Amino acid sequence: KNEVEQSPQNLTAQEGEFITINCSYSVGISALHWLQQHPGGGIVSLFMLSSGKKKHGRLIATINIQEKHSSLHITASHPRDSAVYICAVKSGGSQGNLIFGKGTKLSVKP
Amino acid sequence: GEEVAQTPKHLVRGEGQKAKLYCAPIKGHSYVFWYQQVLKNEFKFLISFQNENVFDETGMPKERFSAKCLPNSPCSLEIQATKLEDSAVYFCASSQSSANGYTFGSGTRLTVV
């Protein structure tokens, strides 16, 4: 079993829909990251969180430390949101390396 | 600069040849991480540095892989005697401190033929 599990693996949505991507992890962590990888391959860090909730534009990330679960929400989705969204947890102390989930491939249709 | 600069963007090597990848972290970032992305979404941690010191090298295949971060030079990842299975995108990321997130480079795509 992977230490970081994401669901769904693939997600197709219509423009404007509300999207939720889930991440569960089984290890102790100091922080959780949500990353976005575009088809060109570049990786953008969206959020780093260790508790509660963060919001940036149409993106919202939440984490429940007790349940070892995080969600990434996208409101009013747009075709430009199409990308792979990756959950990664920071283990082994404050400067530990990241353990990555396998990603969720999101495709938003116009 | 404000970006993590990785060079080259693409690298093609014949099996058995040496490959050397470079990463210039953001100025002021003390931590550098190397990750290998094989297939589409499988990331593997290789090694991390705190300044020029190896912080964690538990992911490095030591017999052929080596890495350095020397003062006033880009960090480097070197693969001796490349194998077909080394074909992957190699990402470098830097971080200022534990309170900050990571900034990723755009990656180097290594193809071993």
Side-chain angles (χ1 to χ4, degrees), chain A residues 33 35 37 39-45 48 84 86 90 92 94-105, chain B residues 31 33 35 37 40-45 48 55-56 58 91 95-106:
Chain A
H33 294 250
L35 309 169
Q37 187 170 30
I43 297 173
V44 174
S45 180
M48 182 181 82
V84 176
I86 302 166
K90 191 187 288 188
S94 60
Q95 283 303 334
N97 56 282
L98 293 178
I99 303 171
F100 292 76
K102 287 189 163 49
T104 295
K105 185 173 181 180
Chain B
Y31 294 88
F33 300 81
Y35 294 95
Q37 185 182 25
K40 207 52 182 160
N41 296 323
E42 301 263 352
F43 283 86
K44 180 189 171 195
F45 167 72
S48 60
F55 189 76
D56 182 349
T58 51
F91 285 98
S95 171
Q96 187 177 35
S97 72
S98 59
N100 299 87
Y102 293 79
T103 302
F104 283 82
S106 55

Side-chain angles (χ1 to χ4, degrees), chain B residues 61-78:
Chain B
K62 293 204 181 104
E63 56 279 4
R64 295 184 300 109
F65 283 58
S66 62
K68 291 179 192 174
C69 274
L70 299 175
N72 304 314
S73 295
C75 296
S76 64
L77 176 69
E78 189 167 323

Side-chain angles (χ1 to χ4, degrees), chain A residues 38-52:
Chain A
H38 277 282
I43 297 173
V44 174
S45 180
L46 299 174
F47 295 104
M48 182 181 82
L49 63 166
S50 52
S51 66

Side-chain angles (χ1 to χ4, degrees), chain B residues 10 29 32 44 50-51 60 64 67 71 76 87-88 102-103 106:
Chain B
H10 301 278
H29 282 197
V32 171
K44 180 189 171 195
Q50 181 179 11
N51 298 311
M60 283 284 268
R64 295 184 300 109
S76 64
S87 295
Y102 293 79
T103 302
S106 55

